[in-house]
Amino acid sequence: YSMGVVQTAEEIIKIIQDKGLQKALFDCFDDEEYLLEELDEEGEFETAEAYLESVGLPKEYKKVAGRSDTSEFWSVIHFPVEDVYVKITGTYDSYGQYEHYYNSKVTQVFPKQVTTTVYDKQ
């Protein structure tokens, strides 16, 4: 991996799966400090971006959608430079200890605009 190389979805997905980053990427995007703790257990890196870059992931990312409840458990992450969207899924156990389980498989998804018609009273 060399700096500045635009990666394919397959390369990004392989790194996430090989490094077991599903939980960290699913949960922590809004909290940089927590994300760094989840990713970098040895405390070697200054930022989450530096860690992601060290394992070969693009450093620009954004969680763009997600749902975390008993009926649906998923998160979509966008890597804007590569224009790649990946979806991480799992299950949420509301019984017992509120455990989260992440599926090992990460999939590429594509944004699609959907128009909805609603009918209001005048």
Side-chain angles (χ1 to χ4, degrees):
Y1 173 73
S2 64
M3 300 296 201
V5 173
V6 175
Q7 293 166 283
T8 65
E10 291 78 17
E11 291 168 327
I12 291 170
I13 289 168
K14 182 173 178 7
I15 293 167
I16 293 170
Q17 291 176 166
D18 289 353
K19 299 285 182 187
L21 301 178
Q22 290 90 331
K23 179 184 188 302
L25 293 176
F26 189 105
D27 281 346
C28 309
F29 268 69
D30 300 330
D31 184 344
E32 177 78 19
E33 249 178 66
Y34 184 68
L35 175 58
L36 183 58
E37 284 175 24
E38 284 289 310
L39 292 169
D40 180 23
E41 294 170 3
E42 308 297 315
E44 295 172 35
F45 295 91
E46 297 276 324
T47 64
E49 284 182 353
Y51 175 86
L52 293 173
E53 213 168 16
S54 79
V55 296
L57 281 176
K59 63 181 181 179
E60 284 189 52
Y61 56 83
K62 183 174 185 188
K63 181 175 177 176
V64 293
R67 183 148 176 201
S68 182
D69 61 34
T70 52
S71 63
E72 293 182 59
F73 193 73
W74 55 272
S75 183
V76 174
I77 289 94
H78 181 221
F79 296 92
V81 173
E82 291 73 10
D83 197 27
V84 168
Y85 293 82
V86 297
K87 186 174 188 178
I88 298 169
T89 57
T91 53
Y92 175 80
D93 176 17
S94 63
Y95 303 101
Q97 302 301 311
Y98 297 99
E99 292 292 321
H100 303 142
Y101 304 97
Y102 302 88
N103 299 335
S104 57
K105 187 164 172 41
V106 176
T107 54
Q108 182 178 14
V109 292
F110 302 89
K112 177 178 151 188
Q113 293 286 342
V114 178
T115 304
T116 304
T117 302
V118 294
Y119 299 91
D120 288 337
K121 292 181 188 173
Q122 288 298 321

